[in-house]
Amino acid sequence: MARYLGFLILILSISSICVSASLFYPISDAHRSAASEIFTFSDTSLEATYEALATFEVLGIGAESDVKTSTCKSVVDTLSLPTSTMKDLFFGLRVNKLLKCELTDGHLMAITLRIKDSVKDANSLLDFYYSIGSLIDIKGQTSEVDVTLENADGIFRSIKALSQSDGKWRYSSNNPESSSYAAGLALETLGGVVSLASSEIDEYLITTVKNDIMKLFDSIEKYDDGAYYFDEKLLDASGHHGPLSASSSVVRGLTAFAHATSTSLNLPGDKISGLAKFFLGIGVPGNAKDLYYQIDGLACLESNRVLIPLIQSIQSTVISYTRNDKLKVRVTTVLGYAAPPLSVKLMQVFSSGSKDASIIDQELTFDSESGIHILEALPESVDVGKYTFVFEIVLHDAELKKIYATGGRTKVPIFVTGVMQVDNAKIAVLDSDLGSVETQKKLSFEEENSVSLSANHLQKLRVSFQLSTPLGNAFNPHQAFLKLTHETKVEHIFMVGSSGKQFSVVLDFLGLVDKFFYLSGRYDIQLTVGDAVMENSFMQALGHVELDLPEPPEKATRPPPQSVDPYLRYGPKDEISHIFRTPEKLPRQELSLAFSSLILLPFIGFLVGLLWLGVNLKSFPTSTVPATFAILFHVGIGAVLCLYALFWIKLDLFTTLKALGFLGIFLMFVGHRTLSHIASTSAKLKSA
């Protein structure tokens, strides 16, 4: 029981840490396993196929060969159809870029001409997005097709005209509502225009877009755990986009625009790291769309030219003094790749419920083989309890600060556990007047206790012990109470007070007689001490006390009715064992055989009588129909005789009577027909 309580408290504490802690972990095998289960390639659109293939590529999962065969056929058919929409061409080309289907330069040339015509007629953001994106995909697949845009400045200005003062974009000039998701599409499209331009874009236009990006990041939302995200409330033609899709769209657009313009964007590193925390804080999404947006956003953060975020992951937030655990920190990119040369420092330690911090500034030891930073020893000020450790990443090369975002200082909740020292445990019966000890016994919480005490209402019961941490400091557990249970299952619980290391509870029975309902008799004693950081939490029986209380007065409070255990009421009942009567003594086997032979004598006599009377088959019908009824009649008589035999061997009376009823009706019918034929034949013979 003691082990169970300690294990339960520790599990609950770890669960509470997971709920409240700001812990983030990079992409793992859990995401790969989820992607293999969630994404399917049967009867899906090219858009869903592209999202699956793109996710697989980032996670390093290979698609099956039959998927490529069937998908490439669908891609070629879609790109060859003159009725395919720009959206179909866009996703078809993106799938072709991943699978490298067999498309000739002639196919791509025809598609390019059609797309360029679409760019000229485009009047909405989505029209520009699908057209420009398709040309970018063609540019990446072949160098034989001319995809340059002659009027790139004009197209850039047309897309820029849809921007808003807050950095967001509209889907069209007819729609006044702005959208973060649309802003991501616009930035990606503008980056494509810059890449396809036949001449350089006006630098003023590039600068205005950079200002729009800064304004967009000014409106970013923030969670308490340091995660940043772009909110989205606009419902467009493609459906509702939430914070996940909007944040992924902005990150993808930012990456594409920064890559195309080759200019630096002075964005705050904490917001870039916050976006990574937002994507990773989701965990493993449960549907294909969310998983694609998560992985796509992280892949863009991994390869963007602005800042690449680094993630600190703590292997375990529970450190045991007993096991001499070491705190281990791993620093990687969001996709789990190795970080550049750096150090991890423990800067501050906050104790639970205190705003004062201990200044540590201790560098963790780096293990080059495992790539883990290890805190070899806990600071001297850290004892068992709940703490907040503040870590900071320090890059070795100052130039790396322009490439990587460390996210500043990171606060991590840490539980330090240990085995508490329980000393000087005693249980005693005291005299109520003088307070002198009448009976006292020592207790041991490492083994079972079976203390037997007796007291009356003029005496007191005292339970005391000392509790200290592995470092010898006083420790105040979350739970410490004494329970007395009467033999009638009436329970009484009392809190155990503390003063430094000393814990004690004194029960004055004179003042508790009414609470005890004047019930004399045996009371079992149980002590419970538990805490989230106490590895040896226990709930242990101490023994019992025979309590002699006075008779209750007339108006004394009665004990409450005890609840009935549902298992006793509705559970299985006691097995009923039935004793059968002893079988009576049977006669000898020879006597039984002789009696059976006597029973057969009448049947033998019947057969002899038939022979004596000269029974024959001369009157048996010869015609087909009468002969059939005669045969059925005799078969029915034989069936009745067999039924009698079965009744004697195995059948019960009701089954026999039921079968006999059906056979009787059958015999009446065929017998009547047979006898009628014999009677008519006899009458004809007599008349002749």
Side-chain angles (χ1 to χ4, degrees):
M1 183 64 73
R3 290 180 180 178
Y4 172 77
L5 177 65
F7 177 75
L8 179 61
I9 292 176
L10 185 60
I11 289 299
L12 291 176
S13 70
I14 294 174
S15 300
S16 66
I17 293 174
C18 295
V19 172
S20 61
S22 303
L23 300 177
F24 304 94
Y25 296 92
I27 294 301
S28 63
D29 290 336
H31 292 81
R32 297 179 179 87
S33 177
S36 300
E37 294 179 2
I38 293 175
F39 288 109
T40 59
F41 296 92
S42 58
D43 300 329
T44 57
S45 63
L46 287 177
E47 179 181 2
T49 302
Y50 165 72
E51 292 173 354
L53 292 172
T55 304
F56 278 20
E57 185 180 44
V58 174
L59 296 178
I61 304 173
E64 298 179 0
S65 57
D66 58 338
V67 172
K68 179 178 180 179
T69 303
S70 58
T71 305
C72 280
K73 182 179 183 302
S74 177
V75 168
V76 173
D77 293 342
T78 301
L79 297 180
S80 302
L81 286 175
T83 57
S84 297
T85 63
M86 282 296 109
K87 182 178 179 181
D88 294 335
L89 295 178
F90 172 79
F91 285 108
L93 289 169
R94 291 211 160 180
V95 172
N96 181 65
K97 182 179 179 181
L98 295 174
L99 294 182
K100 296 178 175 56
C101 302
E102 296 180 359
L103 280 177
T104 63
D105 291 341
H107 277 94
L108 295 177
M109 178 68 74
I111 297 171
T112 302
L113 295 176
R114 181 182 170 190
I115 294 174
K116 285 187 175 182
D117 291 338
S118 176
V119 173
K120 297 177 182 179
D121 299 333
N123 55 13
S124 69
L125 178 59
L126 290 177
D127 291 341
F128 284 114
Y129 175 73
Y130 291 133
S131 301
I132 301 299
S134 298
L135 292 176
I136 289 292
D137 290 332
I138 294 175
K139 180 180 179 180
Q141 297 176 41
T142 180
S143 59
E144 301 298 326
V145 179
D146 181 20
V147 294
T148 56
L149 298 175
E150 299 298 334
N151 187 26
D153 259 12
I155 297 173
F156 198 103
R157 294 177 187 276
S158 298
I159 300 172
K160 180 65 180 68
L162 299 176
S163 65
Q164 298 287 79
S165 59
D166 57 357
K168 298 181 181 180
W169 249 264
R170 296 174 295 162
Y171 284 100
S172 66
S173 57
N174 298 327
N175 186 358
E177 296 291 338
S178 59
S179 164
S180 299
Y181 184 85
L185 299 182
L187 291 175
E188 186 179 357
T189 306
L190 292 175
V193 173
V194 173
S195 300
L196 298 173
S198 58
S199 60
E200 291 188 4
I201 301 294
D202 187 354
E203 188 63 29
Y204 172 76
L205 295 177
I206 302 295
T207 303
T208 57
V209 174
K210 290 170 63 176
N211 293 334
D212 289 338
I213 294 174
M214 300 302 295
K215 294 176 184 178
L216 181 62
F217 270 80
D218 288 340
S219 64
I220 195 171
E221 304 286 342
K222 182 182 180 182
Y223 285 123
D224 293 337
D225 58 1
Y228 285 85
Y229 67 97
F230 291 96
D231 200 3
E232 181 70 15
K233 299 178 181 178
L234 180 62
L235 184 67
D236 70 342
S238 61
H240 180 70
H241 291 287
L244 178 58
S245 59
S247 301
S248 178
S249 175
V250 172
V251 170
R252 184 171 60 252
L254 175 66
T255 302
F257 184 80
H259 179 76
T261 57
S262 300
T263 56
S264 61
L265 295 171
N266 189 22
L267 293 176
D270 60 336
K271 292 185 178 180
I272 298 297
S273 297
L275 284 168
K277 292 177 180 178
F278 171 72
F279 289 125
L280 295 175
I282 297 172
V284 181
N287 63 74
K289 234 4 171 182
D290 289 346
L291 183 56
Y292 164 71
Y293 284 133
Q294 180 196 42
I295 301 301
D296 184 57
L298 292 173
C300 292
L301 288 175
E302 182 90 3
S303 60
N304 78 88
R305 297 174 61 95
V306 183
L307 285 172
I308 299 175
L310 299 176
I311 297 298
Q312 297 180 46
S313 55
I314 310 297
Q315 289 196 350
S316 176
T317 56
V318 180
I319 307 299
S320 173
Y321 260 120
T322 307
R323 299 189 300 268
N324 195 23
D325 291 341
K326 301 182 187 302
L327 186 63
K328 298 179 180 180
V329 180
R330 184 186 295 273
V331 181
T332 62
T333 63
V334 292
L335 295 183
Y337 296 110
L342 54 82
S343 299
V344 177
K345 288 186 177 182
L346 175 61
M347 304 302 295
Q348 293 176 304
V349 174
F350 293 87
S351 61
S352 178
S354 175
K355 295 183 179 180
D356 298 330
S358 300
I359 307 300
I360 306 298
D361 195 10
Q362 178 180 350
E363 183 175 336
L364 278 64
T365 304
F366 179 66
D367 184 3
S368 57
E369 293 184 2
S370 61
I372 296 176
H373 301 263
I374 303 173
L375 182 63
E376 297 291 347
L378 293 173
E380 295 180 357
S381 60
V382 174
D383 201 348
V384 294
K386 182 179 179 181
Y387 297 88
T388 300
F389 283 22
V390 181
F391 295 97
E392 184 177 21
I393 297 176
V394 180
L395 295 169
H396 291 174
D397 189 350
E399 291 297 321
L400 294 175
K401 295 181 180 179
K402 301 177 182 179
I403 303 175
Y404 295 95
T406 60
R409 294 188 175 184
T410 303
K411 295 181 179 180
V412 179
I414 299 294
F415 263 51
V416 182
T417 66
V419 175
M420 305 303 168
Q421 299 294 326
V422 185
D423 301 314
N424 200 22
K426 299 176 183 178
I427 183 170
V429 176
L430 309 178
D431 182 76
S432 181
D433 296 331
L434 303 177
S436 59
V437 177
E438 181 175 310
T439 306
Q440 180 173 285
K441 296 186 178 181
K442 292 185 177 181
L443 301 172
S444 174
F445 297 111
E446 297 180 356
E447 57 187 23
E448 294 184 0
N449 295 281
S450 58
V451 174
S452 178
L453 301 173
S454 61
N456 56 43
H457 66 288
L458 299 177
Q459 294 177 314
K460 300 178 182 179
L461 179 68
R462 183 182 68 191
V463 177
S464 61
F465 58 93
Q466 292 180 347
L467 197 62
S468 59
T469 67
L471 298 182
N473 299 321
F475 178 72
N476 189 17
H478 289 166
Q479 297 178 349
F481 54 86
L482 186 73
K483 183 170 72 172
L484 271 65
T485 305
H486 190 252
E487 53 195 15
T488 59
K489 305 302 180 183
V490 178
E491 297 180 348
H492 306 281
I493 298 176
F494 304 92
M495 301 302 298
V496 179
S498 64
S499 177
K501 297 181 182 180
Q502 188 67 34
F503 288 79
S504 65
V505 57
V506 179
L507 305 182
D508 187 355
F509 294 125
L510 183 60
L512 295 173
V513 289
D514 188 61
K515 184 177 180 179
F516 278 50
F517 308 109
Y518 295 88
L519 292 176
S520 300
R522 172 172 171 155
Y523 285 82
D524 293 326
I525 307 171
Q526 186 184 72
L527 178 64
T528 300
V529 178
D531 193 277
V533 298
M534 183 176 175
E535 295 179 7
N536 57 332
S537 300
F538 58 85
M539 183 169 59
Q540 190 162 5
L542 305 182
H544 69 276
V545 57
E546 290 286 344
L547 196 55
D548 184 15
L549 300 181
E551 293 295 327
E554 293 183 1
K555 297 183 180 180
T557 306
R558 296 294 179 184
Q562 298 301 306
S563 59
V564 180
D565 187 356
Y567 183 80
L568 297 177
R569 177 180 293 181
Y570 303 108
K573 304 299 182 181
D574 294 337
E575 182 180 356
I576 301 175
S577 57
H578 183 74
I579 300 176
F580 292 93
R581 185 177 60 182
T582 304
E584 297 181 358
K585 188 176 180 181
L586 298 176
R588 296 177 59 185
Q589 184 179 4
E590 292 79 3
L591 182 60
S592 299
L593 293 175
F595 184 74
S596 299
S597 301
L598 291 175
I599 292 176
L600 292 175
L601 285 177
F603 180 70
I604 296 174
F606 171 72
L607 295 177
V608 173
L610 291 177
L611 294 175
W612 183 71
L613 292 174
V615 176
N616 53 63
L617 299 176
K618 294 180 179 180
S619 298
F620 198 87
T622 56
S623 301
T624 303
V625 175
T628 302
F629 282 108
I631 293 172
L632 291 176
F633 176 71
H634 287 83
V635 171
I637 293 176
V640 171
L641 295 176
C642 292
L643 181 63
Y644 287 161
L646 291 174
F647 170 67
W648 182 265
I649 297 172
K650 59 183 295 186
L651 296 181
D652 57 83
L653 180 62
F654 295 101
T655 304
T656 304
L657 290 177
K658 187 187 299 184
L660 186 61
F662 289 110
L663 286 174
I665 296 173
F666 174 75
L667 283 173
M668 287 179 61
F669 175 72
V670 297
H672 179 266
R673 295 297 299 269
T674 301
L675 293 177
S676 297
H677 174 74
I678 294 174
S680 62
T681 303
S682 178
K684 290 179 180 179
L685 290 173
K686 290 180 179 180
S687 61

